[in-house]
Amino acid sequence: MKPLSLRPYLSPPAVRRRLLLSRNYAVQAPGAPTLQVFNRNTKYLQKERAAADAEHSRKVDYLKDEVATRLCERLLDIKRQFPHVLDLGAHACNIARILTLPNPDPDPSGPSSPPLSTRISHLTAADSSPTLLHRDASLPFNDLIPITRATLQDEEYIPYPENHFDAVLSSLSLHWINNLPSLLAQIAHILKPDAPFLAAIFGGDTLYELRTALQLADLDRRGGVSPHVSPLADVRDVGGLLGKAGFKMLTVDVDDIIVDYPSSFALMQDLQAMGEGNAVLGREMGGMRREVLAASEAIYRELYGNKDGSLPATFRVIYMIGWKAGEGQPEPLPRGSGQINMKDILEGGGIKESN
């Protein structure tokens, strides 16, 4: 059936006027152009649906709890009190619960230490999903730390004034941000001088096993590749992004967490229950075809399967620490002022004392 055309119903002058008025111009909005990779509304709906089943949502919090624990351990090296801390992208307040745990020091040979919550006067937990944010509001840990839950319109825009927080934490949330340089600059803006920013995000090779299996299955069954796993930042880019946002004394390290699953279907089900489903713009709507899923499962087992029949899934976590500039901070020495030649040390020559 041919599409309906309005041209036969318009008089010639009307057609001419339409042609004259149809010329449009592209206008660049103020500021640097932003590449939109993720559909933020899709991510909001995924988190809301995941949190609707509270019990099942808690069962798949194993990854968020583990990463939150490792992130909070980095606070042990910062010997200070924090009057007001922001947990950006708080999910179900996983960080808040970890902060209340007794003896947070992972070194068993060290002395017992009080919960990290004793060093925080107030915690603001902010997230765009109200259902997820308030999922555990009735649990006992809420009585052990002063906490305020704030629902954000979008984590890409932080509605807090300059020099407002003594520290900002974020665990497994920033990898869904479209304009990460802008968000890091906003975080630096709301931090007080000489205040730290600590974050953990999924990076580069996360789920490379699943990504490879799905791509090969797509090529075999459909003759092309569709983005089933979201793109992630590389560890080599994180330091540069922090530096451009104005952070000083940077620390970036990587940790691989490998989780064994009975099948790739169990892995994908857990990812959906975590609210970590695919949210790439332009992705195919609806579920994957059965033949693609079956082929992906077979390829996954052939390439990466364990001897016990389970399938490993690698989650690469990038941890970052940056400090907002402030008075009294250590400064790097000028280039060329060093007195020790690293070549001599690496070649076994030792340190040569200058006369």
Side-chain angles (χ1 to χ4, degrees):
M1 181 178 179
K2 295 184 178 180
L4 179 64
S5 173
L6 296 178
R7 183 176 293 270
Y9 302 99
L10 296 175
S11 61
V15 173
R16 286 195 294 271
R17 285 197 300 271
R18 175 61 180 171
L19 293 174
L20 290 173
L21 295 175
S22 64
R23 188 174 183 182
N24 296 317
Y25 297 89
V27 179
Q28 172 66 49
T34 302
L35 176 63
Q36 297 293 319
V37 179
F38 307 112
N39 188 323
R40 295 293 304 171
N41 185 60
T42 297
K43 180 49 55 183
Y44 161 78
L45 293 174
Q46 289 176 351
K47 294 167 71 173
E48 284 287 289
R49 284 194 294 265
D53 187 347
E55 288 302 318
H56 187 56
S57 178
R58 291 190 184 103
K59 289 180 181 179
V60 297
D61 263 357
Y62 52 86
L63 197 59
K64 292 177 182 176
D65 287 342
E66 178 64 25
V67 174
T69 299
R70 299 186 186 192
L71 181 67
C72 290
E73 286 173 359
R74 286 156 169 78
L75 279 175
L76 293 169
D77 299 325
I78 304 176
K79 308 298 184 182
R80 64 168 65 177
Q81 296 292 123
F82 300 98
H84 196 182
V85 175
L86 173 66
D87 179 7
L88 180 62
H91 300 296
C93 300
N94 304 75
I95 284 180
R97 188 177 63 80
I98 298 301
L99 290 172
T100 63
L101 296 179
N103 194 22
D105 194 340
D107 185 3
S109 62
S112 178
S113 57
L116 286 167
S117 58
T118 59
R119 294 161 52 184
I120 297 175
S121 302
H122 192 85
L123 177 70
T124 295
D127 199 279
S128 61
S129 170
T131 305
L132 184 60
L133 185 63
H134 292 84
R135 189 197 71 185
D136 295 341
S138 60
L139 296 185
F141 76 84
N142 292 274
D143 300 327
L144 303 177
I145 183 172
I147 182 173
T148 298
R149 289 172 168 82
T151 302
L152 301 178
Q153 187 70 25
D154 193 332
E155 285 96 343
E156 300 219 18
Y157 307 99
I158 306 176
Y160 295 106
E162 184 179 8
N163 301 331
H164 191 66
F165 292 101
D166 299 278
V168 173
L169 308 178
S170 182
S171 180
L172 297 185
S173 178
L174 302 188
H175 55 276
W176 292 114
I177 298 298
N178 282 303
N179 195 347
L180 190 55
S182 172
L183 184 71
L184 292 175
Q186 293 178 64
I187 292 172
H189 180 77
I190 63 174
L191 278 170
K192 294 179 181 179
D194 194 31
F197 165 59
L198 297 87
I201 63 172
F202 286 132
D205 290 335
T206 292
L207 296 176
Y208 73 89
E209 303 98 338
L210 179 64
R211 192 191 311 267
T212 302
L214 287 172
Q215 288 177 348
L216 293 176
D218 263 340
L219 284 171
D220 182 62
R221 293 294 185 266
R222 304 173 58 195
V225 175
S226 179
H228 298 298
V229 181
S230 301
L232 298 168
D234 191 270
V235 64
R236 293 170 294 185
D237 303 325
V238 172
L241 292 173
L242 289 171
K244 289 180 180 179
F247 288 102
K248 308 296 182 182
M249 298 189 297
L250 309 180
T251 302
V252 180
D253 61 292
V254 179
D255 205 358
D256 283 348
I257 300 176
I258 301 177
V259 183
D260 291 330
Y261 292 88
S263 67
S264 62
F265 308 118
L267 166 59
M268 288 185 278
Q269 287 173 352
D270 275 15
L271 290 174
Q272 286 187 339
M274 294 176 192
E276 294 292 330
N278 187 10
V280 175
L281 285 169
R283 74 194 189 286
E284 291 185 349
M285 306 304 292
M288 287 183 282
R289 292 162 53 175
R290 291 184 179 180
E291 60 267 28
V292 173
L293 289 171
S296 172
E297 171 74 7
I299 294 170
Y300 204 137
R301 290 191 178 279
E302 178 67 23
L303 294 180
Y304 307 108
N306 296 321
K307 293 181 179 180
D308 62 359
S310 62
L311 298 180
T314 301
F315 297 90
R316 174 155 293 182
V317 184
I318 302 174
Y319 299 92
M320 63 191 82
I321 303 176
W323 292 76
K324 185 173 180 178
E327 293 184 3
Q329 279 185 349
E331 294 289 340
L333 293 174
R335 184 180 293 273
S337 61
Q339 302 298 316
I340 299 174
N341 190 333
M342 291 299 295
K343 180 180 178 181
D344 294 336
I345 298 176
L346 294 175
E347 291 181 353
I351 300 177
K352 299 179 180 179
E353 297 183 0
S354 57
N355 296 327

